[in-house]
PDB file of all heavy atoms in Angstrom:
ATOM      1  N   ALA X 396      50.148  61.691  86.415  1.00 98.00           N
ATOM      2  CA  ALA X 396      50.129  62.004  87.853  1.00 98.00           C
ATOM      3  C   ALA X 396      48.946  62.912  88.163  1.00 98.00           C
ATOM      4  O   ALA X 396      48.530  63.715  87.319  1.00 98.00           O
ATOM      5  CB  ALA X 396      51.436  62.683  88.254  1.00 98.00           C
ATOM      6  N   PRO X 397      48.392  62.815  89.368  1.00 98.00           N
ATOM      7  CA  PRO X 397      47.271  63.685  89.738  1.00 98.00           C
ATOM      8  C   PRO X 397      47.734  65.143  89.810  1.00 98.00           C
ATOM      9  O   PRO X 397      48.767  65.427  90.404  1.00 98.00           O
ATOM     10  CB  PRO X 397      46.883  63.168  91.138  1.00 98.00           C
ATOM     11  CG  PRO X 397      48.126  62.489  91.641  1.00 98.00           C
ATOM     12  CD  PRO X 397      48.818  61.921  90.444  1.00 98.00           C
ATOM     13  N   MET X 398      46.965  66.029  89.178  1.00 98.00           N
ATOM     14  CA  MET X 398      47.330  67.452  89.211  1.00 98.00           C
ATOM     15  C   MET X 398      46.094  68.339  89.335  1.00 98.00           C
ATOM     16  O   MET X 398      45.253  68.368  88.443  1.00 98.00           O
ATOM     17  CB  MET X 398      48.138  67.833  87.961  1.00 98.00           C
ATOM     18  CG  MET X 398      49.584  67.356  88.050  1.00 98.00           C
ATOM     19  SD  MET X 398      50.564  67.800  86.614  1.00 98.00           S
ATOM     20  CE  MET X 398      49.974  66.606  85.418  1.00 98.00           C
ATOM     21  N   THR X 399      46.029  69.059  90.433  1.00 98.00           N
ATOM     22  CA  THR X 399      44.927  69.981  90.703  1.00 98.00           C
ATOM     23  C   THR X 399      45.018  71.176  89.757  1.00 98.00           C
ATOM     24  O   THR X 399      46.050  71.839  89.706  1.00 98.00           O
ATOM     25  CB  THR X 399      45.008  70.431  92.177  1.00 98.00           C
ATOM     26  OG1 THR X 399      44.704  69.294  92.981  1.00 98.00           O
ATOM     27  CG2 THR X 399      44.034  71.556  92.474  1.00 98.00           C
ATOM     28  N   ARG X 400      43.954  71.441  89.028  1.00 98.00           N
ATOM     29  CA  ARG X 400      43.977  72.523  88.038  1.00 98.00           C
ATOM     30  C   ARG X 400      42.821  73.504  88.234  1.00 98.00           C
ATOM     31  O   ARG X 400      42.553  74.319  87.363  1.00 98.00           O
ATOM     32  CB  ARG X 400      43.969  71.944  86.609  1.00 98.00           C
ATOM     33  CG  ARG X 400      45.165  71.064  86.263  1.00 98.00           C
ATOM     34  CD  ARG X 400      46.517  71.785  86.384  1.00 98.00           C
ATOM     35  NE  ARG X 400      46.577  72.994  85.595  1.00 98.00           N
ATOM     36  CZ  ARG X 400      46.922  73.058  84.310  1.00 98.00           C
ATOM     37  NH1 ARG X 400      47.245  71.975  83.671  1.00 98.00           N
ATOM     38  NH2 ARG X 400      46.960  74.225  83.668  1.00 98.00           N
ATOM     39  N   GLU X 431      43.030  64.788  89.244  1.00 98.00           N
ATOM     40  CA  GLU X 431      43.377  65.720  90.320  1.00 98.00           C
ATOM     41  C   GLU X 431      42.657  65.301  91.609  1.00 98.00           C
ATOM     42  O   GLU X 431      41.670  64.565  91.555  1.00 98.00           O
ATOM     43  CB  GLU X 431      42.948  67.118  89.915  1.00 98.00           C
ATOM     44  CG  GLU X 431      41.461  67.248  89.624  1.00 98.00           C
ATOM     45  CD  GLU X 431      41.183  68.418  88.672  1.00 98.00           C
ATOM     46  OE1 GLU X 431      41.149  69.557  89.122  1.00 98.00           O
ATOM     47  OE2 GLU X 431      41.017  68.141  87.457  1.00 98.00           O
ATOM     48  N   GLY X 432      43.129  65.789  92.735  1.00 98.00           N
ATOM     49  CA  GLY X 432      42.497  65.488  94.009  1.00 98.00           C
ATOM     50  C   GLY X 432      41.063  66.039  94.050  1.00 98.00           C
ATOM     51  O   GLY X 432      40.845  67.229  93.830  1.00 98.00           O
ATOM     52  N   GLN X 475      41.362  60.381  92.210  1.00 99.00           N
ATOM     53  CA  GLN X 475      42.056  60.611  93.482  1.00 99.00           C
ATOM     54  C   GLN X 475      41.106  61.334  94.444  1.00 99.00           C
ATOM     55  O   GLN X 475      40.563  62.382  94.126  1.00 99.00           O
ATOM     56  CB  GLN X 475      43.312  61.450  93.289  1.00 99.00           C
ATOM     57  CG  GLN X 475      44.091  61.537  94.598  1.00 99.00           C
ATOM     58  CD  GLN X 475      45.330  62.414  94.534  1.00 99.00           C
ATOM     59  OE1 GLN X 475      45.222  63.623  94.351  1.00 99.00           O
ATOM     60  NE2 GLN X 475      46.490  61.812  94.681  1.00 99.00           N
ATOM     61  N   MET X 477      40.587  63.300  97.930  1.00 98.00           N
ATOM     62  CA  MET X 477      41.489  64.141  98.745  1.00 98.00           C
ATOM     63  C   MET X 477      40.727  64.929  99.795  1.00 98.00           C
ATOM     64  O   MET X 477      39.682  65.499  99.522  1.00 98.00           O
ATOM     65  CB  MET X 477      42.188  65.105  97.775  1.00 98.00           C
ATOM     66  CG  MET X 477      42.788  66.319  98.416  1.00 98.00           C
ATOM     67  SD  MET X 477      43.759  67.253  97.209  1.00 98.00           S
ATOM     68  CE  MET X 477      43.897  68.795  98.126  1.00 98.00           C
ATOM     69  N   PHE X 507      49.161  80.296  93.268  1.00 97.00           N
ATOM     70  CA  PHE X 507      48.586  79.876  91.980  1.00 97.00           C
ATOM     71  C   PHE X 507      47.263  79.137  92.139  1.00 97.00           C
ATOM     72  O   PHE X 507      46.598  78.814  91.170  1.00 97.00           O
ATOM     73  CB  PHE X 507      49.593  79.186  91.064  1.00 97.00           C
ATOM     74  CG  PHE X 507      50.007  77.765  91.387  1.00 97.00           C
ATOM     75  CD1 PHE X 507      49.501  77.064  92.457  1.00 97.00           C
ATOM     76  CD2 PHE X 507      50.931  77.128  90.547  1.00 97.00           C
ATOM     77  CE1 PHE X 507      49.884  75.748  92.717  1.00 97.00           C
ATOM     78  CE2 PHE X 507      51.321  75.826  90.786  1.00 97.00           C
ATOM     79  CZ  PHE X 507      50.790  75.131  91.881  1.00 97.00           C
ATOM     80  N   TYR X 508      46.898  78.889  93.409  1.00 97.00           N
ATOM     81  CA  TYR X 508      45.551  78.371  93.717  1.00 97.00           C
ATOM     82  C   TYR X 508      44.737  79.441  94.446  1.00 97.00           C
ATOM     83  O   TYR X 508      43.925  79.112  95.319  1.00 97.00           O
ATOM     84  CB  TYR X 508      45.645  77.107  94.572  1.00 97.00           C
ATOM     85  CG  TYR X 508      46.199  75.877  93.887  1.00 97.00           C
ATOM     86  CD1 TYR X 508      46.971  74.960  94.584  1.00 97.00           C
ATOM     87  CD2 TYR X 508      45.934  75.599  92.555  1.00 97.00           C
ATOM     88  CE1 TYR X 508      47.470  73.816  93.982  1.00 97.00           C
ATOM     89  CE2 TYR X 508      46.445  74.460  91.938  1.00 97.00           C
ATOM     90  CZ  TYR X 508      47.203  73.585  92.650  1.00 97.00           C
ATOM     91  OH  TYR X 508      47.697  72.446  92.049  1.00 97.00           O
ATOM     92  N   GLU X 548      42.080  56.319  94.086  1.00 99.00           N
ATOM     93  CA  GLU X 548      43.338  56.502  94.829  1.00 99.00           C
ATOM     94  C   GLU X 548      43.072  57.412  96.019  1.00 99.00           C
ATOM     95  O   GLU X 548      42.532  58.503  95.871  1.00 99.00           O
ATOM     96  CB  GLU X 548      44.403  57.125  93.918  1.00 99.00           C
ATOM     97  CG  GLU X 548      45.699  57.409  94.655  1.00 99.00           C
ATOM     98  CD  GLU X 548      46.833  57.822  93.732  1.00 99.00           C
ATOM     99  OE1 GLU X 548      47.317  56.999  92.939  1.00 99.00           O
ATOM    100  OE2 GLU X 548      47.243  59.008  93.786  1.00 99.00           O
ATOM    101  N   HIS X 550      44.367  59.957  98.659  1.00 98.00           N
ATOM    102  CA  HIS X 550      45.507  60.886  98.731  1.00 98.00           C
ATOM    103  C   HIS X 550      46.035  60.907 100.163  1.00 98.00           C
ATOM    104  O   HIS X 550      45.531  61.618 101.012  1.00 98.00           O
ATOM    105  CB  HIS X 550      45.055  62.284  98.300  1.00 98.00           C
ATOM    106  CG  HIS X 550      46.194  63.197  97.964  1.00 98.00           C
ATOM    107  ND1 HIS X 550      47.503  62.904  98.277  1.00 98.00           N
ATOM    108  CD2 HIS X 550      46.211  64.389  97.321  1.00 98.00           C
ATOM    109  CE1 HIS X 550      48.276  63.906  97.847  1.00 98.00           C
ATOM    110  NE2 HIS X 550      47.517  64.802  97.263  1.00 98.00           N
ATOM    111  N   ASN X 553      51.707  64.364 100.525  1.00 98.00           N
ATOM    112  CA  ASN X 553      51.892  65.791 100.209  1.00 98.00           C
ATOM    113  C   ASN X 553      51.403  66.792 101.262  1.00 98.00           C
ATOM    114  O   ASN X 553      51.203  67.963 100.962  1.00 98.00           O
ATOM    115  CB  ASN X 553      51.252  66.148  98.852  1.00 98.00           C
ATOM    116  CG  ASN X 553      51.844  65.330  97.699  1.00 98.00           C
ATOM    117  OD1 ASN X 553      51.104  64.733  96.927  1.00 98.00           O
ATOM    118  ND2 ASN X 553      53.142  65.272  97.604  1.00 98.00           N
ATOM    119  N   ARG X 603      48.269  56.985  97.822  1.00 98.00           N
ATOM    120  CA  ARG X 603      49.487  57.746  97.519  1.00 98.00           C
ATOM    121  C   ARG X 603      50.169  58.153  98.818  1.00 98.00           C
ATOM    122  O   ARG X 603      49.499  58.606  99.761  1.00 98.00           O
ATOM    123  CB  ARG X 603      49.139  58.994  96.714  1.00 98.00           C
ATOM    124  CG  ARG X 603      50.381  59.725  96.236  1.00 98.00           C
ATOM    125  CD  ARG X 603      50.043  60.957  95.414  1.00 98.00           C
ATOM    126  NE  ARG X 603      50.846  60.977  94.204  1.00 98.00           N
ATOM    127  CZ  ARG X 603      51.420  62.078  93.701  1.00 98.00           C
ATOM    128  NH1 ARG X 603      51.255  63.247  94.270  1.00 98.00           N
ATOM    129  NH2 ARG X 603      52.138  62.017  92.614  1.00 98.00           N
ATOM    130  N   THR X 641      55.548  59.346  95.915  1.00 98.00           N
ATOM    131  CA  THR X 641      56.063  60.522  95.247  1.00 98.00           C
ATOM    132  C   THR X 641      57.184  61.142  96.062  1.00 98.00           C
ATOM    133  O   THR X 641      57.094  61.261  97.282  1.00 98.00           O
ATOM    134  CB  THR X 641      54.942  61.550  94.940  1.00 98.00           C
ATOM    135  OG1 THR X 641      55.554  62.732  94.396  1.00 98.00           O
ATOM    136  CG2 THR X 641      54.128  61.922  96.154  1.00 98.00           C
ATOM    137  N   LEU X 643      60.716  64.099  95.342  1.00 95.00           N
ATOM    138  CA  LEU X 643      61.229  65.082  94.376  1.00 95.00           C
ATOM    139  C   LEU X 643      61.900  64.350  93.209  1.00 95.00           C
ATOM    140  O   LEU X 643      61.657  64.645  92.040  1.00 95.00           O
ATOM    141  CB  LEU X 643      62.218  66.026  95.076  1.00 95.00           C
ATOM    142  CG  LEU X 643      62.743  67.154  94.211  1.00 95.00           C
ATOM    143  CD1 LEU X 643      61.607  68.069  93.756  1.00 95.00           C
ATOM    144  CD2 LEU X 643      63.800  67.940  94.960  1.00 95.00           C
ATOM    145  N   ASN X 676      56.724  58.161  91.301  1.00 98.00           N
ATOM    146  CA  ASN X 676      56.536  59.516  90.738  1.00 98.00           C
ATOM    147  C   ASN X 676      57.623  60.450  91.244  1.00 98.00           C
ATOM    148  O   ASN X 676      58.053  60.346  92.382  1.00 98.00           O
ATOM    149  CB  ASN X 676      55.157  60.078  91.116  1.00 98.00           C
ATOM    150  CG  ASN X 676      55.035  61.562  90.806  1.00 98.00           C
ATOM    151  OD1 ASN X 676      55.071  62.397  91.702  1.00 98.00           O
ATOM    152  ND2 ASN X 676      54.930  61.901  89.550  1.00 98.00           N
ATOM    153  N   GLY X 677      57.987  61.403  90.393  1.00 98.00           N
ATOM    154  CA  GLY X 677      58.900  62.471  90.771  1.00 98.00           C
ATOM    155  C   GLY X 677      60.085  62.576  89.843  1.00 98.00           C
ATOM    156  O   GLY X 677      61.004  61.755  89.909  1.00 98.00           O
ATOM    157  N   GLY X 678      60.048  63.547  88.943  1.00 96.00           N
ATOM    158  CA  GLY X 678      61.186  63.841  88.079  1.00 96.00           C
ATOM    159  C   GLY X 678      61.557  62.730  87.099  1.00 96.00           C
ATOM    160  O   GLY X 678      62.687  62.696  86.608  1.00 96.00           O
ATOM    161  N   LEU X 679      60.610  61.858  86.795  1.00 96.00           N
ATOM    162  CA  LEU X 679      60.923  60.718  85.914  1.00 96.00           C
ATOM    163  C   LEU X 679      60.639  61.064  84.458  1.00 96.00           C
ATOM    164  O   LEU X 679      59.828  60.426  83.804  1.00 96.00           O
ATOM    165  CB  LEU X 679      60.111  59.481  86.332  1.00 96.00           C
ATOM    166  CG  LEU X 679      60.534  58.830  87.640  1.00 96.00           C
ATOM    167  CD1 LEU X 679      59.542  57.749  88.052  1.00 96.00           C
ATOM    168  CD2 LEU X 679      61.939  58.238  87.495  1.00 96.00           C
ATOM    169  N   ASN X 680      61.324  62.081  83.979  1.00 87.00           N
ATOM    170  CA  ASN X 680      61.005  62.520  82.626  1.00 87.00           C
ATOM    171  C   ASN X 680      61.762  61.784  81.538  1.00 87.00           C
ATOM    172  O   ASN X 680      61.356  61.794  80.389  1.00 87.00           O
ATOM    173  CB  ASN X 680      61.195  64.024  82.509  1.00 87.00           C
ATOM    174  CG  ASN X 680      60.172  64.764  83.361  1.00 87.00           C
ATOM    175  OD1 ASN X 680      59.004  64.370  83.421  1.00 87.00           O
ATOM    176  ND2 ASN X 680      60.605  65.781  84.072  1.00 87.00           N
ATOM    177  N   ALA X 698      54.480  57.555  87.155  1.00 98.00           N
ATOM    178  CA  ALA X 698      53.496  58.630  86.989  1.00 98.00           C
ATOM    179  C   ALA X 698      54.246  59.901  86.624  1.00 98.00           C
ATOM    180  O   ALA X 698      55.267  60.229  87.241  1.00 98.00           O
ATOM    181  CB  ALA X 698      52.686  58.821  88.277  1.00 98.00           C
ATOM    182  N   ILE X 699      53.723  60.591  85.629  1.00 98.00           N
ATOM    183  CA  ILE X 699      54.384  61.791  85.102  1.00 98.00           C
ATOM    184  C   ILE X 699      53.478  62.995  85.324  1.00 98.00           C
ATOM    185  O   ILE X 699      52.309  62.982  84.916  1.00 98.00           O
ATOM    186  CB  ILE X 699      54.656  61.655  83.583  1.00 98.00           C
ATOM    187  CG1 ILE X 699      55.307  60.295  83.241  1.00 98.00           C
ATOM    188  CG2 ILE X 699      55.493  62.811  83.075  1.00 98.00           C
ATOM    189  CD1 ILE X 699      56.707  60.109  83.694  1.00 98.00           C
ATOM    190  N   GLY X 700      54.024  64.040  85.950  1.00 98.00           N
ATOM    191  CA  GLY X 700      53.258  65.265  86.206  1.00 98.00           C
ATOM    192  C   GLY X 700      53.616  66.366  85.225  1.00 98.00           C
ATOM    193  O   GLY X 700      53.040  66.467  84.139  1.00 98.00           O
ATOM    194  N   LYS X 701      54.620  67.167  85.603  1.00 98.00           N
ATOM    195  CA  LYS X 701      54.952  68.352  84.792  1.00 98.00           C
ATOM    196  C   LYS X 701      55.369  67.983  83.373  1.00 98.00           C
ATOM    197  O   LYS X 701      55.078  68.724  82.423  1.00 98.00           O
ATOM    198  CB  LYS X 701      56.046  69.163  85.507  1.00 98.00           C
ATOM    199  CG  LYS X 701      55.551  69.729  86.850  1.00 98.00           C
ATOM    200  CD  LYS X 701      56.575  70.596  87.538  1.00 98.00           C
ATOM    201  CE  LYS X 701      57.749  69.857  88.122  1.00 98.00           C
ATOM    202  NZ  LYS X 701      57.431  68.887  89.180  1.00 98.00           N
ATOM    203  N   GLY X 702      56.007  66.849  83.225  1.00 98.00           N
ATOM    204  CA  GLY X 702      56.397  66.398  81.880  1.00 98.00           C
ATOM    205  C   GLY X 702      55.167  66.199  80.997  1.00 98.00           C
ATOM    206  O   GLY X 702      55.219  66.418  79.775  1.00 98.00           O
ATOM    207  N   LEU X 704      52.336  67.914  81.400  1.00 98.00           N
ATOM    208  CA  LEU X 704      51.791  69.240  81.070  1.00 98.00           C
ATOM    209  C   LEU X 704      52.537  69.804  79.864  1.00 98.00           C
ATOM    210  O   LEU X 704      51.948  70.438  78.989  1.00 98.00           O
ATOM    211  CB  LEU X 704      51.910  70.186  82.259  1.00 98.00           C
ATOM    212  CG  LEU X 704      51.093  69.829  83.503  1.00 98.00           C
ATOM    213  CD1 LEU X 704      51.291  70.876  84.593  1.00 98.00           C
ATOM    214  CD2 LEU X 704      49.601  69.704  83.174  1.00 98.00           C
ATOM    215  N   LEU X 727      51.379  77.395  84.458  1.00 98.00           N
ATOM    216  CA  LEU X 727      50.660  77.411  85.748  1.00 98.00           C
ATOM    217  C   LEU X 727      50.574  78.814  86.343  1.00 98.00           C
ATOM    218  O   LEU X 727      50.255  78.970  87.524  1.00 98.00           O
ATOM    219  CB  LEU X 727      51.350  76.465  86.739  1.00 98.00           C
ATOM    220  CG  LEU X 727      51.433  74.986  86.331  1.00 98.00           C
ATOM    221  CD1 LEU X 727      52.263  74.189  87.319  1.00 98.00           C
ATOM    222  CD2 LEU X 727      50.040  74.375  86.206  1.00 98.00           C
ATOM    223  N   ALA X 731      46.833  78.398  88.327  1.00 98.00           N
ATOM    224  CA  ALA X 731      47.112  77.053  87.774  1.00 98.00           C
ATOM    225  C   ALA X 731      45.929  76.418  87.073  1.00 98.00           C
ATOM    226  O   ALA X 731      45.856  75.205  86.937  1.00 98.00           O
ATOM    227  CB  ALA X 731      47.615  76.140  88.899  1.00 98.00           C
TER     228      ALA X 731
HETATM  229  C1  FMN F1816      49.917  71.883  89.077  1.00 96.14           C
HETATM  230  C2  FMN F1816      50.132  70.673  89.954  1.00 96.14           C
HETATM  231  C3  FMN F1816      49.068  70.181  90.669  1.00 96.14           C
HETATM  232  C4  FMN F1816      49.219  69.037  91.479  1.00 96.14           C
HETATM  233  N1  FMN F1816      48.124  68.527  92.138  1.00 96.14           N
HETATM  234  C5  FMN F1816      48.222  67.330  92.780  1.00 96.14           C
HETATM  235  C6  FMN F1816      47.066  66.663  93.282  1.00 96.14           C
HETATM  236  O1  FMN F1816      45.918  67.097  93.145  1.00 96.14           O
HETATM  237  N2  FMN F1816      47.241  65.490  93.930  1.00 96.14           N
HETATM  238  C7  FMN F1816      48.497  64.925  94.088  1.00 96.14           C
HETATM  239  O2  FMN F1816      48.622  63.862  94.689  1.00 96.14           O
HETATM  240  N3  FMN F1816      49.601  65.542  93.586  1.00 96.14           N
HETATM  241  C8  FMN F1816      49.490  66.694  92.923  1.00 96.14           C
HETATM  242  N4  FMN F1816      50.592  67.256  92.336  1.00 96.14           N
HETATM  243  C9  FMN F1816      51.897  66.572  92.419  1.00 96.14           C
HETATM  244  C10 FMN F1816      52.137  65.741  91.160  1.00 96.14           C
HETATM  245  O3  FMN F1816      51.226  64.630  91.123  1.00 96.14           O
HETATM  246  C11 FMN F1816      53.570  65.178  91.133  1.00 96.14           C
HETATM  247  O4  FMN F1816      53.783  64.477  92.337  1.00 96.14           O
HETATM  248  C12 FMN F1816      54.621  66.254  90.999  1.00 96.14           C
HETATM  249  O5  FMN F1816      54.331  67.132  89.943  1.00 96.14           O
HETATM  250  C13 FMN F1816      56.005  65.622  90.779  1.00 96.14           C
HETATM  251  O6  FMN F1816      56.002  64.826  89.613  1.00 96.14           O
HETATM  252  P1  FMN F1816      56.722  65.348  88.257  1.00 96.14           P
HETATM  253  O7  FMN F1816      58.180  65.538  88.616  1.00 96.14           O
HETATM  254  O8  FMN F1816      56.495  64.296  87.250  1.00 96.14           O
HETATM  255  O9  FMN F1816      56.078  66.666  87.910  1.00 96.14           O
HETATM  256  C14 FMN F1816      50.471  68.406  91.558  1.00 96.14           C
HETATM  257  C15 FMN F1816      51.547  68.925  90.827  1.00 96.14           C
HETATM  258  C16 FMN F1816      51.382  70.022  90.022  1.00 96.14           C
HETATM  259  C17 FMN F1816      52.566  70.529  89.212  1.00 96.14           C
END
Side-chain angles (χ1 to χ4, degrees):
M398 283 181 284
T399 292
R400 298 301 305 273
E431 58 205 280
Q475 187 183 66
M477 161 173 164
F507 74 1
Y508 291 146
E548 176 171 292
H550 197 347
N553 301 128
R603 187 179 227 221
T641 175
L643 184 62
N676 168 255
L679 289 172
N680 293 320
I699 312 290
K701 296 183 288 298
L704 295 181
L727 300 174

